[in-house]
Amino acid sequence: AEAVTRPRAASEILAPLDEHDVINAARTLIEEHGVGSIAVCTLHAYRNPAHEARIAEIIRQRWPKVSVSVSSEIVREYREYERTATTVVNAYVKPIFQRYIEGLETALARDGFKGSFYITRSGGGALPARDAIANPIHTVFSGPAGGIIGATRLAAELERPNLIAVDVGGTSTDACVIHQGRPSVSYEARLERLPLMIPTYDIASIGAGGGSIARVEGRLLKVGPQSAGATPGPICYGRGGTEPTLSDAALALGYLSSDGFLGGEMQLKEAEALAGLDAKVARPLGMSVTDAARGIYDVLIAKTVAAIRVITVERGLDPRD
């Protein structure tokens, strides 16, 4: 950005935008390197976004199929690195998100859906799907946000304004505090070690969920962050999975029912799950399958406690409340 434009912090323009340089830079990225999505971030655009807007206009006019993300359209705040990182993540997910939403819209229309289509925001509330396509960065934590919104409603129904919500998914576990009837909110998040300047719920995440793979490394039992995913999934799903997971341990301990899973719609493969736990965890550690399964759960619990400590004790809150 410095090669083509330089506004001062107070927003007056120090050097005019060199549109020739913009075109050359974009041509190199798009035509030589095959870039399909571009992030535009200039110095002090939070005060004066004129140059960013013109750069985006030039790229969109000459290369209409290229996705463009503009920092001043996403977050109008100072702190250049964080603003750039947020814009880059938006540029990374935007084409994928657009294809997904457009495909979902087509499927909904084909099935006769005539209602309004909204996407949950990371910090609560919702966006029309078409608006979410422009800046999908505001939806990246929408999954955990949905769980927190539900838990907040539950807190009100139970008349218990102070709760700790724990959302165990397939690959991760997310924890959030509901304090005095409201979930804790943060105005900066992190994704893959990158800072994001977006409003979001104050969530502590760990890389362990129902599909997290248990393995032995040097006589140490580890759970996650690798996951069996939905395909092939845990061994007990019977879809070709060969690595024991938290779900297989849950079945071995009786927390899941082989006959009652999904209300009885899906039969879990208990014998295969036990055999996998035995071969991959129990025998390498010289213990029974039950003790191995219990060890997997102990690892998950220890990780979950650590996450809850971050959002309670480290925030000056007592979990016992």
Side-chain angles (χ1 to χ4, degrees):
E2 291 184 18
V4 295
T5 175
R6 186 182 284 275
R8 289 184 187 273
S11 80
E12 73 272 17
I13 301 300
L14 180 65
L17 179 67
D18 189 328
E19 296 191 1
H20 181 71
D21 273 3
V22 171
I23 293 169
N24 285 340
R27 181 181 291 117
T28 299
L29 290 170
I30 297 165
E31 297 180 6
E32 294 184 22
H33 296 285
V35 170
S37 186
I38 289 179
V40 177
C41 190
T42 67
L43 288 170
H44 313 305
Y46 61 92
R47 292 292 301 272
N48 186 344
H51 282 176
E52 281 194 351
R54 180 57 185 151
I55 292 169
E57 183 182 30
I58 290 169
I59 297 171
R60 287 166 176 156
Q61 285 177 344
R62 288 177 171 260
W63 296 277
K65 293 184 179 180
V66 172
S67 176
V68 182
S69 297
V70 185
S71 84
S72 53
E73 295 176 1
I74 299 169
V75 52
R76 288 284 294 274
E77 295 184 44
Y78 80 107
R79 293 165 69 195
E80 182 189 355
Y81 172 71
E82 290 83 354
R83 181 161 50 90
T84 302
T86 304
T87 309
V88 167
V89 174
N90 191 82
Y92 184 84
V93 301
K94 188 173 180 179
I96 304 164
F97 187 85
Q98 181 172 355
R99 287 194 298 271
Y100 175 78
I101 294 299
E102 289 176 348
L104 188 53
E105 280 184 322
T106 300
L108 288 170
R110 185 181 62 239
D111 292 342
F113 177 74
K114 292 182 171 58
S116 299
F117 181 20
Y118 288 86
I119 305 295
T120 305
R121 293 171 59 98
S122 299
L127 281 170
R130 283 280 140 190
D131 292 344
I133 286 174
N135 293 315
I137 191 68
H138 291 294
T139 71
V140 291
F141 299 114
S142 60
I148 293 163
I149 292 165
T152 303
R153 175 63 181 268
L154 182 63
E157 293 290 333
L158 296 175
E159 297 181 350
R160 296 186 62 178
N162 299 328
L163 291 179
I164 296 170
V166 181
D167 184 350
V168 183
T171 58
S172 67
T173 294
D174 305 305
C176 183
V177 166
I178 297 165
H179 185 231
Q180 297 179 351
R182 299 176 66 87
S184 301
V185 177
S186 173
Y187 293 93
E188 184 171 319
R190 299 193 75 83
L191 184 67
E192 294 293 333
R193 299 182 298 278
L194 289 173
L196 303 180
M197 294 177 73
I198 58 171
T200 180
Y201 290 122
D202 189 11
I203 300 168
S205 296
I206 57 170
S212 294
I213 294 171
R215 65 198 184 282
V216 177
E217 292 183 3
R219 299 287 299 170
L220 287 176
L221 174 61
K222 296 192 175 182
V223 183
Q226 297 87 348
S227 175
T231 306
I235 298 172
C236 61
Y237 281 12
R239 294 178 176 172
T242 58
E243 301 297 329
T245 67
L246 180 68
S247 293
D248 297 303
L251 181 60
L253 294 172
Y255 295 141
L256 292 180
S257 166
S258 58
D259 298 323
F261 195 69
L262 285 182
E265 293 180 19
M266 181 175 175
Q267 180 75 32
L268 297 182
K269 310 296 183 183
E270 186 169 3
E272 289 87 337
L274 294 176
L277 286 165
D278 186 40
K280 298 290 181 74
V281 181
R283 271 187 276 163
L285 292 176
M287 60 175 60
S288 69
V289 171
T290 301
D291 285 342
R294 188 168 60 194
I296 292 169
Y297 248 78
D298 285 344
V299 171
L300 174 76
I301 290 169
K303 287 185 173 184
T304 305
V305 167
I308 291 172
R309 180 179 293 275
V310 169
I311 57 173
T312 54
V313 176
E314 293 185 15
R315 303 282 196 276
L317 300 173
D318 189 336
R320 291 172 295 188
D321 297 334

